[in-house]
Amino acid sequence: MKFEDIHTVAMIGSGTMGAGMSWCFAQAGYNVQLYDVSPQQLERACARIQAIQKLFVQEGLVAAQDAQAARERIVTTTKLDESLAGVQYVLEAAPEKLDLKQNLFRQMESLCPPDTILATNTSGLRITDIASVCHHPERVGGMHWANPAEIVPLVEVIRGERTSDHTVAVIYQVTEKLGKMPVVVNKDIPGFVSNRLQYAVLREALHLVETGVVSAQDVDRTLKCGVGFRYPWLGPLETADLGGLDVFHGICQYLFKELSHMTTSPEFFDQIVQEGKLGIKTGQGFYDYRGVSREEVLRKRDLYFIRQLKLIREVKAS
Ligand SMILES: NC(=O)c1ccc[n+]([C@@H]2O[C@H](COP(=O)([O-])OP(=O)(O)OC[C@H]3O[C@@H](n4cnc5c(N)ncnc54)[C@H](O)[C@@H]3O)[C@@H](O)[C@H]2O)c1
């Protein structure tokens, strides 16, 4: 399948990720056939897409007329064969269970012509394992987005062991057309790149809190106001270049051995989860959200992210 020949895509799963990703495809001009097993979930996805449309217009990210046209390009169905009819590209965003995804890919392959690109938004399952049930694993690749999908620019394009160069190139081109920032992950390893970085930081943060070095609030503040303050503009390797590689190399010699090597989650974290403190969705986590509106917190988060996105686009364009 050539990139230029792609005009209609199927989105498989309309949950947290499926709704936002559908919006991005539609905004870039693609027709989207959004499928879910649950009609209620499709209704919720439509409401969410409408909310994204409103927010994007309000924030000046898209003209009202274009936003309306984008939304009209999204159709929904509870029938898998209907969603796959006439599509050139499929993005799967169903629950993170290997057998469920394999079952979907088996059906997708039998219902689509052999050159249709089949991508998965899996967070961490191996692309190779998902594609192992396919007769044409070369057209299966990873397209890993970050939440909220409609705002965060990064998309990891993952090469499974049998993914062809052509499939990687097409997923990359589609990602660029969506206005996102693709990164090619050349090896099908757990966590790909973004989750490995995210969880390396989380492991050290948990370790520092568990050992009483710092409070949860202050570990977050340290990242937001110090190390993380630079991250939208300078990655860790650029930071090292600017700071002097001799200095950073020297620090590695004594500090790496001090860093956490935990291979499972620490006990205090297990305990919090066992107590049902799951973060904002249950009112308590590392912080107390009782009496706080979840919608309001997420809205505020999205507004901060949009401000950041605008700034990144502005700098990129200058
Ligand atoms: N939520 C995140 O932050 C995030 C980030 C990146 C990647 N992902 C990955 O994206 C995928 C989807 O995650 P999510 O957070 O949107 O999940 P979700 O639970 O919000 O949505 C999954 C949707 O799939 C539907 N579904 C269930 N069985 C199905 C089937 N057989 N066929 C089609 N749809 C089916 C559900 O009804 C639901 O609407 C997962 O693989 C997840 O690991 C999630």
Side-chain angles (χ1 to χ4, degrees), residues 103-115:
N103 191 26
L104 275 169
F105 273 76
R106 220 178 264 121
Q107 295 179 71
M108 276 149 54
E109 184 163 65
S110 72
L111 291 163
C112 296
D115 63 343

Side-chain angles (χ1 to χ4, degrees), residues 12-18 21 35-38 41 92-97 100-101 104 120-124 144-147:
I12 308 300
S14 70
T16 308
M17 299 304 289
M21 296 190 300
Y35 162 74
D36 205 292
V37 283
S38 153
Q41 190 57 43
E92 171 275 315
E96 187 78 345
K97 292 186 187 135
L100 186 148
K101 288 192 192 285
L104 275 169
T120 170
N121 183 44
T122 178
S123 300
H144 181 226
W145 299 52
N147 185 27

Side-chain angles (χ1 to χ4, degrees), residues 42-238:
L42 280 175
E43 264 174 45
R44 275 195 288 272
C46 288
R48 214 172 106 54
I49 289 167
Q50 204 171 342
I52 296 171
Q53 175 187 356
K54 196 170 154 210
L55 180 67
F56 272 42
V57 171
Q58 179 195 304
E59 288 300 308
L61 291 171
V62 60
Q65 216 176 335
D66 296 342
Q68 184 57 27
R71 192 149 69 88
E72 285 167 12
R73 281 194 280 274
I74 304 173
V75 295
T76 62
T77 176
T78 51
K79 296 197 175 87
L80 184 62
D81 55 348
E82 257 179 39
S83 73
L84 296 173
V87 306
Q88 297 80 38
Y89 191 99
V90 183
L91 178 53
E92 171 275 315
E96 187 78 345
K97 292 186 187 135
L98 181 61
D99 55 347
L100 186 148
K101 288 192 192 285
Q102 284 179 330
N103 191 26
L104 275 169
F105 273 76
R106 220 178 264 121
Q107 295 179 71
M108 276 149 54
E109 184 163 65
S110 72
L111 291 163
C112 296
D115 63 343
T116 311
I117 301 290
L118 306 180
T120 170
N121 183 44
T122 178
S123 300
L125 297 171
R126 292 182 78 229
I127 311 304
T128 311
D129 293 341
I130 295 172
S132 66
V133 296
C134 293
H135 298 293
H136 291 284
E138 70 281 358
R139 43 89 169 249
V140 179
M143 187 187 201
H144 181 226
W145 299 52
N147 185 27
E150 64 278 15
I151 304 174
V152 182
L154 178 74
V155 173
E156 292 176 286
V157 179
I158 302 121
R159 186 191 296 276
E161 281 170 18
R162 298 176 70 188
T163 310
S164 68
D165 289 347
H166 175 73
T167 298
V168 170
V170 174
I171 300 176
Y172 194 97
Q173 285 170 298
V174 168
T175 305
E176 282 191 318
K177 181 167 169 179
L178 302 179
K180 297 288 184 182
M181 294 184 188
V183 161
V184 176
V185 181
N186 280 312
K187 288 191 178 171
D188 196 3
I189 55 168
F192 310 133
V193 174
S194 61
N195 274 332
R196 288 179 91 94
L197 293 171
Q198 179 173 219
Y199 281 81
V201 171
L202 180 63
R203 178 167 65 179
E204 191 59 34
L206 290 168
H207 171 68
L208 291 169
V209 172
E210 186 188 33
T211 51
V213 173
V214 69
S215 65
Q217 286 80 357
D218 281 351
V219 84
D220 278 350
R221 178 175 282 184
T222 308
L223 207 79
K224 290 191 288 187
C225 303
V227 180
F229 181 82
R230 310 178 183 120
Y231 277 171
W233 314 104
L234 290 179
L237 304 181
E238 287 172 310

